[in-house]
Amino acid sequence: MAYADFVTAMMAFFLLMWLINSVDQEQLRGVADYFSPSTVSTDNTGSAPLRLMPPRGDEGVSSPDMAFLERNPTSHAPGSGSDETPDDGEGSPRDVARDALTSALARREQAEFESAEMSLRQALQEMPELAELSRHLIIDQTPEGLRIQLIDEEGRPMFDAGATRPNERAIVLLRAVADVVERLPNRITISGHTDASPVPPDAPSNWELSSARANAALRILQERGISDDRISDVRGKGSAEPLFPDDPYMAGNRRLSIVLLREAPVLPPGGAL
């Protein structure tokens, strides 16, 4: 038993020596201050409850907490409100969550656009009256959104020369487009385009003609259930934005363009998700 006690004491001694050598002087002072007796103080009026006052050393540094703060100036004292969420900055958890939400909504919108494109192409293939009109349709995605263009072919226009009302083939196409567009919540822009052919002096200008055709397309979409609050813009572009810039007189430049606008969420900085 005596030998066992001796071995235990030696182990404790070497452990103590190792601990002393592994900590610095400030940590030793903090440990010593921790085991020092606390003093008791009352409020000057005597009415306040008793509270423990931290012991003070020779240099006025008090309590292990104060010593810790001196060694770690970026830390906050307990009870000082430091456990509150810090200000949001770049890379903060809230920013990461906001970016993830934006990305998820963008992916969902992309899938909806692809589904709408497939639905429209399938409708053109399944309906005999639309199959031959598929050459008049161009569908693509732009930074602005899903763009559906109804274009003229040589000898097969969407509008008769100088007319502002679409002919029967254009009406059939516009109705098919409206049935697909109506399923999505996105806002819509409609623009009319002409080629660069000069117009007679007494005829409407290309600007007037393209504007009137865009409004005629709008009326057909509304007849198929597209509400006014989904319409973002209706305008005539004249010949200012040709589809085939190398040949501004080409029939394909005469077209209607319907765009389903992207609706990526815009959250205010630091705003709630």
Side-chain angles (χ1 to χ4, degrees):
M1 292 294 293
Y3 179 73
D5 290 341
F6 172 75
V7 171
T8 303
M10 290 299 295
M11 290 179 61
F13 172 75
F14 285 119
L15 181 61
L16 178 62
M17 295 297 293
W18 176 78
L19 289 174
I20 292 175
N21 291 328
S22 64
V23 296
D24 56 28
Q25 191 66 27
E26 291 184 358
Q27 290 174 323
L28 289 176
R29 184 183 302 149
V31 173
D33 289 341
Y34 180 81
F35 289 102
S36 298
S38 299
T39 59
V40 178
S41 173
T42 60
D43 192 278
N44 292 334
T45 61
S47 59
L50 296 177
R51 63 183 186 273
L52 295 177
M53 298 295 292
R56 293 188 173 274
D58 296 338
E59 299 177 357
V61 178
S62 60
S63 81
D65 289 335
M66 292 299 296
F68 174 79
L69 287 176
E70 287 189 349
R71 294 193 303 271
N72 302 274
T74 58
S75 300
H76 302 280
S80 65
S82 61
D83 54 344
E84 296 178 358
T85 303
D87 293 339
D88 286 337
E90 186 177 357
S92 70
R94 181 171 293 178
D95 286 338
V96 172
R98 186 183 300 110
D99 292 343
L101 174 61
T102 302
S103 178
L105 292 178
R107 288 195 299 269
R108 186 184 70 179
E109 188 173 64
Q110 179 75 12
E112 290 176 344
F113 283 169
E114 292 174 357
S115 176
E117 180 178 350
M118 291 179 59
S119 298
L120 187 53
R121 294 190 185 279
Q122 185 175 0
L124 293 176
Q125 294 173 0
E126 293 179 351
M127 300 176 64
E129 65 271 24
L130 293 179
E132 65 176 15
L133 300 179
S134 60
R135 295 176 299 177
H136 292 274
L137 204 63
I138 298 178
I139 306 173
D140 59 356
Q141 293 196 35
T142 69
E144 191 178 16
L146 179 66
R147 182 175 60 181
I148 304 170
Q149 298 188 93
L150 284 65
I151 68 172
D152 279 8
E153 282 193 323
E154 196 65 44
R156 294 172 60 87
M158 295 288 100
F159 294 82
D160 295 334
T164 59
R165 177 170 174 78
N167 57 28
E168 287 303 316
R169 72 169 60 90
I171 291 175
V172 171
L173 271 177
L174 283 169
R175 287 174 177 171
V177 170
D179 291 343
V180 172
V181 169
E182 194 271 335
R183 303 172 193 169
L184 299 178
N186 304 69
R187 303 193 74 193
I188 302 166
T189 65
I190 304 172
S191 57
H193 302 262
T194 66
D195 60 21
S197 299
V199 297
D202 57 344
S205 68
N206 283 334
W207 294 103
E208 294 171 320
L209 195 60
S210 59
S211 297
R213 290 176 175 179
N215 279 286
L218 170 63
R219 286 191 291 271
I220 293 176
L221 295 183
Q222 291 174 326
E223 291 171 0
R224 304 296 285 191
I226 305 298
S227 59
D228 287 343
D229 59 356
R230 290 191 56 193
I231 306 302
S232 174
D233 193 20
V234 180
R235 66 179 65 179
K237 296 294 188 69
S239 59
E241 297 180 6
L243 185 60
F244 302 98
D246 294 339
D247 188 358
Y249 302 101
M250 188 173 179
N253 292 316
R254 301 191 298 268
R255 67 197 190 277
L256 290 170
S257 179
I258 300 171
V259 179
L260 279 78
L261 299 174
R262 298 187 187 276
E263 296 184 350
V266 179
L267 299 178
L273 295 176

